[in-house]
Amino acid sequence: MIRMAVSLVLGTVIGIDRGAKRRGGGVRTIITVCLGATMIMLLEQYLEALYPGRLDISRIAAQAISGVGFLGAGSILVSGHRIKGLTFAASIWTCACVGLAVGIGFIDGAVILTVLWLAGVHFVPYIESKVYKHSRYMTLYIEATSGKEITHITQKLNEDQCFIDTFVVDKPKAKGQYFQIMTTFRIPKGVNKNAYLQTLREMEGVGIINEL
């Protein structure tokens, strides 16, 4: 009962944190995964006590870790040029690990993991934004009216001594649609990112440019 109660509390903390941001399935999904994983480990111990030496206590837990992936896969959404739900999918997997740890009695480890996970989710993005602010790399989503504009964009980047890391073009499937470009490149030192982005937006034949 203590382990199940701890699992409920930790799952609630993680679930509320995700739900408060309107990210993913929220607290009910997380609680369900955490309690289910805890029950798996309690079942492992029960079977070991009932049939000592006749079962591999790690087999069911291993299947739980791999099987919970279907929940994560269902929470990942691809919308246009953006991917959403990756963090929530990872949260589900991590919460399963927390539940397994609580179920086997490793409550200290489960609590520490929860605290560190919450700290990482909340504080690392702040550090990340500070670092990315000074990064010279840019990832852009660009819509161009024709293939000729694609050539002009690449020429512009080369002329400005930008190092092109990736440059992927999706051709339109019907008339009137734009060529879609995903590119990552590094701008030279001393060039302002916002000013350079505005320069690209002013190019003829360019419809939309969004920085990712």
Side-chain angles (χ1 to χ4, degrees):
M1 288 179 64
I2 292 175
R3 295 180 188 180
M4 296 294 282
V6 172
S7 178
L8 176 63
V9 171
L10 296 181
T12 301
V13 170
I14 296 175
I16 289 178
D17 178 75
R18 300 302 301 165
K21 302 174 184 176
R22 300 297 188 268
R23 306 283 178 85
V27 65
R28 289 178 298 179
T29 303
I30 292 293
I31 287 176
T32 303
V33 171
C34 200
L35 286 174
T38 300
M39 190 64 222
I40 286 175
M41 291 309 295
L42 291 173
L43 177 62
E44 292 264 25
Q45 287 190 320
Y46 178 78
L47 291 175
E48 176 65 22
L50 195 62
Y51 305 104
R54 297 174 58 183
L55 299 170
D56 183 359
I57 196 172
S58 65
R59 290 183 63 183
I60 300 180
Q63 293 299 320
I65 288 295
S66 59
V68 77
F70 83 93
L71 287 175
S75 66
I76 298 174
L77 300 175
V78 180
S79 177
H81 54 280
R82 293 182 179 273
I83 300 176
K84 299 179 180 179
L86 286 175
T87 303
F88 181 66
S91 301
I92 292 176
W93 186 85
T94 302
C95 197
C97 295
V98 170
L100 292 174
V102 173
I104 201 66
F106 188 32
I107 296 178
D108 293 349
V111 172
I112 292 172
L113 172 59
T114 302
V115 172
L116 292 178
W117 181 83
L118 291 174
V121 167
H122 286 279
F123 293 109
V124 170
Y126 175 77
I127 301 173
E128 185 182 38
S129 63
K130 293 293 184 182
V131 174
Y132 287 175
K133 186 177 180 180
H134 300 285
S135 174
R136 291 187 290 123
Y137 279 89
M138 299 180 69
T139 299
L140 302 181
Y141 168 78
I142 306 173
E143 291 186 354
T145 55
S146 67
K148 188 181 296 184
E149 275 64 44
I150 297 175
T151 303
H152 293 163
I153 292 171
T154 56
Q155 289 177 347
K156 170 69 174 173
L157 295 177
N158 290 324
E159 289 173 359
D160 294 338
Q161 298 182 341
C162 295
F163 172 75
I164 301 176
D165 188 18
T166 60
F167 197 91
V168 181
V169 179
D170 288 335
K171 296 181 179 180
K173 299 179 181 179
K175 290 184 179 181
Q177 294 182 345
Y178 288 91
F179 286 82
Q180 297 179 343
I181 305 168
M182 287 285 294
T183 179
T184 299
F185 58 91
R186 186 183 65 214
I187 60 177
K189 290 182 178 179
V191 177
N192 184 274
K193 293 174 66 174
N194 293 329
Y196 193 73
L197 184 60
Q198 185 60 34
T199 301
L200 295 177
R201 284 175 174 158
E202 293 174 355
M203 293 182 62
E204 185 179 354
V206 175
I208 297 175
I209 296 184
N210 292 327
E211 185 175 5
L212 304 179

